Amino acid sequence: MDPSHSRPADAPADAMPAPALAAAGGQAGGVTPGAGSDPSPPIDAASLARALEAVVGPRGVLRRRSELAVYTADGLPGYRKFPSLAVFPANRAQLIDVVLVLAEHGAPFVPRGAGTGLSGGALADDVVLVGLNRLHRVLSLDPENAVAVVEPGVVNAALTRAAAPFGLYYAPDPSSQAACTIGGNVAENAGGPHCLKYGVTLNHVLGVTAVLSDGEVVTLGPGASGAESAGYDLLGAFVGSEGCFGVALDVTVKLTRAPQAVRTLLADFMSMDDAARATSAIIACGILPAALEMMDGPTIRAVEASIYAAGYPADAEAVLLAEVDGLAAGLDTDAGTIARICTAHGARTVRIASDPADRARLWQGRKKAFGAMGRVSSHLVVQDAVIPRTQLPAVLARIRDIATRHRVTVCNVFHAGDGNLHPNIGYNAYDADESARVDLAMREIMRICVDAGGTITGEHGVGLDKIGYMELIFSPSSLAAQCRLREVFDPERRMNPGKVVPVHSCREWSRRPS
């Protein structure tokens, strides 16, 4: 990975050349170099800002604290980190030159998409934030081969809208799909309700062109050909690397043929345990739903009291949202089987969406559940543990016990089909006692999920929020191996410093969950 070149060979001829850079000075108040690197003088922030402005123009760089306040949090409101400055390249060439400028200054930086993440992974703590939202073009869409090439700032739902006229769509559908971007989805290996049948982002990415921290441009994966690539699976390492390995310049994704028919069912229960057992029974009968989602009573009532009300029965203690899709022949039989299983496991009613509008309304309640919780409390802790599906009843019961003991309210909304839990606790962050109780409750919840044979994240990533839990599932040697892999892509560890791996494993500064 040669940092000596000034521009990749495939960069546009009219792209702005990288400016000549002044040497880093020793002034106080500059950008802090990535911890874990050799000691070096502080970076002259003013010189760095001028060099970045030469690439993107003065309006493409933000330095005032009031301007940077917009970028101090992501979708998880418990963290606030101010970047030293923010830069917004408008195209591929500018993004490459921005990374080259940062490399020549030795400046650490954090790539950021739409900021919808839920682990603090895109927060820049006194380092440079590189915003990718201006790179939002669908570069090509090949309906015949069901492949698209997009820039990292393309919004997830916008890609599906672009593909819809050809009878295609992009299958990974995080709940934030109306705002989240493909680049962010790649960084976090995002999932969504339909990953039960269709898989997560990794299963739909064919290739990535990325710029590494030294400005080198690399191509990972087979691309549009979809052929098996020789050598190591570097694409698989890059997807889910949480902005620590490189910045995507473009992403090649496969599109999915829209199903001939869809059936969406809503079953309501007076017991979470009954709904959990129905979930296991549905999978055991041999039907693979496109989605199988569960919400508990507190979540149902938060949704129904909000603008996202979906017609869920507000007195229910659980609802199960099931969807099957595919060829029309036999689909009604599958839907009927699911309805009978739910009824046999205690469902009061089972409703089948009558038309596309009714289906959209049912899904709105599920996908906007996090937003609905915003009216309940000022802050929200969102967790993302994964457990074996058969452990759902036992783990949910223990979560209820933990909530009672710590006097907190847990709202559970999750991907029941693959055991991806999202226990959420609303609280007042300005109440020290309540905050402490929430912290203790979440730590216990994460521990019981790991003890049940699970893991600490299914789709939200580690970021800042889960660093303190990494040692629950990885040995010191495994964490060290992850650090060595990271150093292959970013030897100086300037990209997204302090994220994912604990401080003593990579010798980086970090923040434990709080």
Side-chain angles (χ1 to χ4, degrees), residues 103-346:
E104 293 196 36
H105 276 71
F109 65 98
V110 177
R112 178 181 173 112
T116 59
L118 291 166
S119 64
L123 302 189
D125 188 5
D126 199 30
V127 299
V128 177
L129 184 146
V130 180
L132 305 175
N133 51 294
R134 298 173 71 188
L135 282 77
H136 51 64
R137 294 182 300 158
V138 176
L139 299 174
S140 66
L141 200 158
D142 179 356
E144 186 173 352
N145 291 303
V147 169
V149 181
V150 303
E151 290 184 321
V154 168
V155 171
N156 180 293
L159 176 56
T160 283
R161 286 196 296 271
F166 307 101
L168 301 167
Y169 73 108
Y170 183 61
D173 61 336
S175 294
S176 58
Q177 70 179 138
C180 66
T181 59
I182 299 298
N185 294 168
V186 169
E188 301 295 341
N189 192 20
H194 289 85
C195 69
L196 175 61
K197 179 176 180 179
Y198 292 102
V200 293
T201 297
L202 177 63
N203 304 113
H204 300 266
V205 174
L206 299 172
V208 171
T209 305
V211 55
L212 305 183
S213 62
D214 61 3
E216 181 181 0
V217 173
V218 297
T219 300
L220 308 174
S225 71
E228 285 292 325
S229 55
Y232 299 113
D233 182 15
L234 297 180
L235 176 64
F238 188 89
V239 177
S241 58
E242 300 197 36
C244 297
F245 287 9
V247 186
L249 295 169
D250 61 60
V251 183
T252 302
V253 299
K254 65 178 180 181
L255 302 172
T256 301
R257 184 67 53 187
Q260 189 179 86
V262 180
R263 299 290 183 269
T264 306
L265 303 86
L266 183 79
D268 68 279
F269 299 80
M270 294 307 292
S271 161
M272 280 285 285
D273 288 351
D274 288 346
R277 292 187 179 94
T279 296
S280 292
I282 290 168
I283 299 296
C285 82
I287 295 173
L288 179 61
L292 199 52
E293 301 288 298
M294 193 186 300
M295 297 164 59
D296 68 2
T299 307
I300 294 166
R301 289 180 274 282
V303 167
E304 290 304 304
S306 74
I307 61 172
Y308 307 120
Y312 302 155
D315 63 336
E317 287 307 314
V319 294
L320 193 60
L321 188 63
E323 186 163 278
V324 288
D325 64 10
L327 297 175
L331 209 58
D332 287 330
T333 300
D334 287 348
T337 299
I338 290 174
R340 286 192 297 276
I341 289 172
C342 289
T343 300
H345 284 80

